[in-house]
Structures are given as C-alpha cells and as structure tokens.
Amino acid sequence: MMKSKYITLLWVFLYFSSSQHLLANESNLVLKNQQGELFELNKIVGKKPVYLKFWATWCKPCMEQMPHFQQAYEQYGDTIDTIAINIDLNDDPTAVAAVKKQFNLTMPIMSDHTAKVAQHYQFIGTPFHVLLDKTGKVIFQGHQADKALDNTLRLLSHDGVVAKARLLDEGNKQVATALVIPEHGLKAILYTATWCDWYLADTRPKMATNCAAAQKQINLLTNQGIDIEARVSQLWTDQAAVDEYIEKFKVIHPVYIDHGNDLFIDNKISSVPTLVIYKNGHMVNRISDFSSPVNLQSK
C-alpha cells in the first residue's frame, strides 16, 4: 500500500495555469559542476530557453528516463540550454559519474549542493522537469517524459516562447511547523524521509538499513524522556505517508513535514537520516551513522 501510494504521488497530475510567473534571475541560484566549480543560473536564464531536469542516482524512474533525456538534448541542445541537476540527497560524485557513463550523457551535469535551486522551482519529487522560455519565465513543470514535455520542447526550440504555461498546482501549498529550540536542556531533531527504508532497499540497501535503524533508536531515546522530533523531507511525501510511517515504526515523538525543505536547507542536510543535537540552545553534534546505539544522555 505504501509503495503504490508513492508511485501515485510521484506521477502527480499536472494542472494548467497561465498566471504563475516563476523567474530565475536570483543571484543565489547556484549549482556546482562535476569539477567542483560554481555556476550561476542567471548566466543563461533570460537569454534562450532552458531545460532543467532534477534527478537522483537512486531514483528508478529517473534512470528509466535517461535515454529520453539524452535524446532530447541531442535534438534540442543547440536551441535550449539543458542541465541535468542532481538533487544531492543521499548521493555522491562517484554514483553520478557512473550514471553519466552508463547512459552516455553529454549534457552538463551539476549538483544542487545547497538545495536552493530545487526549492525555487517548487520541486516535490524526482524526476522533475522544468522548462523556461527565453524571457526566463517558467512555462512547464512535470514528472513524466511524455508527449506534453516533448511538445513543449519542440515549441520552445522554434520560437523560444509558449503561449500557455503548464505548471503543477500551487493551490495546496503548506507552511512547515516552526522549529523551537529550547534555551536550556537537550533537544534532538531527526531529519529523515518517510520512504528511505523501503525505496532505497534495492538501489542503496545500506542507506535503507540505516534509515530503519535510526527510527528504531530514536524511539528508544524518546522512551528515555529525551525531547526529540522528526522533520521529514517533503520529497514524495504527504500527511498520509507520514501517518503510515508513524504506524509502521510505532513512532511516539512528533513528526512534521518540512514543507519547502527550509530546515533541510538551513541545516545543510544532504543525507538522511541525520540527527542534529542541541544543548542549551546550541548545536553540539550531528549523527548520520546509526549502526551502533546512540547515547545522548552524556551530551
């Protein structure tokens, strides 16, 4: 049931809208290329159409779409600036290089090392396609490599603009619950994902095992009276998924979705699970390996 829910969520229906105007001319939209050099998106946005594809090496649909992505780049690369953007969550340069070699990818490949580019474009799950016209306006968002994407690419390649935008619905935007760190005493925040224990089981089994171990250990720490809460990534997640996660792991501490992924960004969370520990209002430790018991009483 849980897995089918996520597949449904991943291929979320698209909504049409012509009233949204997402522009990318912000100076803080910076990516990192495979050589470790920084690249500012505003260097290309607003000059000609841009195709951004957000992906991860452990994302199965992303891998299935890679041949289509390479074909699109070969067909439209001269008229549409194209970038493959790795979301840099539970990933590493070696895995990215392996995917590049496996699919003979020739477009620029960069990582969203701050997660701010994904946040700007309202990213909610991989794979995620974003198309901008030659003025810098976002005119397409979607998850599928389908006819709608192909038609938009074709139109952009001719005139650089599209009359009607095709964007994901923004009507159900939610605001994350504020995080409160007490000035006195111990507080721990588990950053995790509701799907990491099962979705990564095939592609990243060690990570999946670590995710399950983390939640089990956090349950034990909560039983010891330690103030703990979990913040789960908004990636592929809704409240129903959180409820299933709570039931599956018998979670007894609060669990909140990090809508907008602001806390993940502010705390530079690039892998899940990560436990961030505060003492007397100050961060004192970060733990990402849960292969051995965590003891916070001595912190």
Side-chain angles (χ1 to χ4, degrees):
M1 180 180 178
M2 180 178 277
K3 294 186 179 182
S4 63
K5 179 182 290 292
Y6 277 107
I7 296 302
T8 302
L9 183 60
L10 176 62
W11 304 116
V12 63
F13 287 110
L14 299 179
Y15 289 78
F16 290 88
S17 170
S18 59
S19 62
Q20 294 168 292
H21 298 275
L22 296 174
L23 299 178
N25 55 358
E26 296 185 8
S27 60
N28 66 339
L29 295 185
V30 178
L31 299 167
K32 184 180 291 185
N33 66 20
Q34 291 187 288
Q35 291 72 45
E37 302 165 334
L38 298 182
F39 176 80
E40 296 180 4
L41 269 182
N42 61 9
K43 290 183 177 179
I44 62 172
V45 170
K47 298 176 175 61
K48 66 179 184 178
V50 176
Y51 178 13
L52 307 175
K53 176 163 182 170
F54 295 83
W55 63 286
T57 65
W58 39 261
C59 165
K60 298 174 185 177
C62 297
M63 298 303 99
E64 293 169 358
Q65 291 182 8
M66 281 306 177
H68 175 277
F69 188 37
Q70 176 60 28
Q71 182 179 7
Y73 176 66
E74 293 175 1
Q75 184 171 358
Y76 300 115
D78 291 338
T79 54
I80 301 175
D81 279 325
T82 303
I83 302 178
I85 303 179
N86 181 270
I87 64 172
D88 200 26
L89 179 68
N90 285 43
D91 237 326
D92 60 68
T94 301
V96 172
V99 171
K100 178 180 180 180
K101 180 178 181 181
Q102 178 183 354
F103 294 101
N104 297 313
L105 302 180
T106 56
M107 76 286 294
I109 298 177
M110 303 188 187
S111 68
D112 187 14
H113 60 295
T114 66
K116 290 183 178 180
V117 177
Q119 181 188 49
H120 180 81
Y121 290 111
Q122 302 166 352
F123 166 84
I124 59 173
T126 54
F128 187 54
H129 311 269
V130 177
L131 301 180
L132 295 80
D133 68 14
K134 64 182 180 181
T135 71
K137 177 184 175 183
V138 175
I139 48 83
F140 184 95
Q141 297 168 313
H143 298 289
Q144 301 188 53
D146 57 8
K147 196 171 287 188
L149 174 62
D150 290 339
N151 287 343
T152 308
L153 285 169
R154 178 176 53 81
L155 290 172
L156 282 178
S157 69
H158 288 308
D159 301 319
V161 294
V162 174
K164 193 171 185 178
R166 183 181 176 93
L167 306 177
L168 294 177
D169 180 36
E170 285 191 294
N172 296 318
K173 274 190 173 182
Q174 299 184 56
V175 178
T177 301
L179 175 62
V180 178
I181 304 300
E183 294 183 4
H184 304 286
L186 202 62
K187 174 81 175 185
I189 313 296
L190 176 67
Y191 290 91
T192 189
T194 58
W195 42 265
C196 66
D197 65 295
W198 61 265
Y199 189 81
L200 298 179
D202 294 332
T203 56
R204 300 289 189 276
K206 289 184 178 179
M207 291 181 183
T209 299
N210 197 42
C211 286
Q215 187 55 68
K216 292 175 182 177
Q217 289 199 45
I218 297 309
N219 286 348
L220 294 175
L221 293 171
T222 305
N223 280 325
Q224 294 173 14
I226 296 176
D227 183 5
I228 294 179
E229 65 182 72
R231 297 293 174 136
V232 297
S233 170
Q234 69 171 4
L235 181 63
W236 299 350
T237 297
D238 58 11
Q239 189 56 48
V242 171
D243 294 340
E244 289 187 20
Y245 178 86
I246 291 173
E247 181 179 357
K248 177 180 182 179
F249 286 102
K250 308 302 179 187
V251 177
I252 57 177
H253 57 73
V255 180
Y256 305 104
I257 299 174
D258 186 22
H259 294 292
N261 271 14
D262 291 336
L263 291 175
F264 272 70
I265 292 173
D266 291 345
N267 290 281
K268 297 180 171 59
I269 306 297
S270 60
S271 66
V272 293
T274 294
L275 184 66
V276 179
I277 304 148
Y278 295 86
K279 186 174 183 179
N280 298 331
H282 300 284
M283 185 186 300
V284 295
N285 199 9
R286 295 166 68 102
I287 299 173
S288 296
D289 182 1
F290 297 89
S291 58
S292 57
V294 175
N295 182 9
L296 301 186
Q297 297 288 9
S298 60
K299 299 298 179 184

